[in-house]
Amino acid sequence: MGREERPLILVSNDDGIGSVGLKALAESLSGLGEVVVVAPDRERSAAGHSLTLSRPLRASHLDEGWYSVDGTPTDCIALAVMGGLLPRRPHLVAAGINHGANMGDDVTYSGTVSSAIEATLQGIPAFAMSVAGDGDFDFRAAARFAKRLAEEILRRGLPRDTLLNVNVPNLPPEAIRGVAVTRQGRRVYSETVVRKIDPRGKTYYWIGGAAPKWERLEDTDYDAVSAGRISLTPLHLDLTNHRVIDELKTWGLSVNGGPPA
Ligand code: MN
């Protein structure tokens, strides 16, 4: 294979350029082609799919194939692909390995998943990879699986408008009990905002109080991960609830009291 034919793989994340998971992902994919890392210069977890429009962005070239950007995960993908940071259009975008799960209803908060969404919008196959734990992360299983998955995506491609969201149990590779193709699970929201009084007597709020709880639903990402399996969820960009379209048409909504269009 000629040098120009080696796959170009863009790696990004939302935990920031110094993240251990990012390094693990970049290293694991380096055997498959040319890897370029473009990641936020600090942690931007829960940045969602936000894009910075109110100020200019700067990229810093830190090392060969390593760039940081003073923006969001989505900014990173935009600068890499459309801003000329990459030598050519990437064949694959891999996001992660995130320090913490990105499952179920949480995916729209996730900067990691949003990096993959942005790549998908630009027509580039992408996956997001997260380790479901809250400390003492073991990235070995996720790194190994990322390489397998990347190989397969480079060979097969992905359906249009589809990205893969992967959550890996925080276990050593030998303790992983297989791979499950799953659907998004459902969070139980409770006590997620802490309200307290600061030293000057004013009220403050801090989002993310209690550990997340999940509904016990079969075939979900949470279900798989809690059983020690790697969860592989195909996500698509169309948020439309197609089943509700016909019902909504019967509401007879109009602005001027006349018949709806
Ligand atoms: Mn994160």
Side-chain angles (χ1 to χ4, degrees), residues 103 132 165-171 175-185 214-233:
M103 302 187 291
N165 184 34
V166 187
N167 283 276
V168 179
N170 190 23
L171 296 170
I176 299 284
R177 301 171 68 180
V179 179
V181 177
T182 59
R183 61 193 173 104
Q184 281 179 267
W214 296 85
E215 288 184 27
R216 302 300 312 223
L217 299 168
E218 275 185 24
D219 307 321
T220 59
D221 42 19
Y222 174 76
D223 185 41
V225 166
S226 55
R229 290 183 291 169
I230 293 175
S231 163
L232 181 59
T233 314

Side-chain angles (χ1 to χ4, degrees), residues 13-16 43-46 97-100 102 110-112:
N13 76 348
D14 75 358
D15 293 331
E43 186 180 350
R44 301 302 301 263
S45 289
I97 302 167
N98 192 61
H99 296 225
N102 280 308
S110 168
T112 309

Side-chain angles (χ1 to χ4, degrees), residues 111-144:
T112 309
V113 174
S114 295
S115 301
I117 289 175
E118 183 62 20
T120 306
L121 284 170
Q122 294 182 28
I124 303 162
F127 67 88
M129 177 79 53
S130 306
V131 167
D134 51 16
D136 250 338
F137 291 98
D138 188 334
F139 292 109
R140 289 175 299 166
R144 200 180 290 180

Side-chain angles (χ1 to χ4, degrees), residues 9 16 33 44 50 70 83 94 129 152 155 160 188 207 243 254:
I9 303 171
R44 301 302 301 263
S50 60
D70 61 346
M129 177 79 53
E152 223 49 58
R155 184 177 305 138
R160 192 185 152 86
V188 180
I207 295 172
R243 285 172 298 186
S254 69

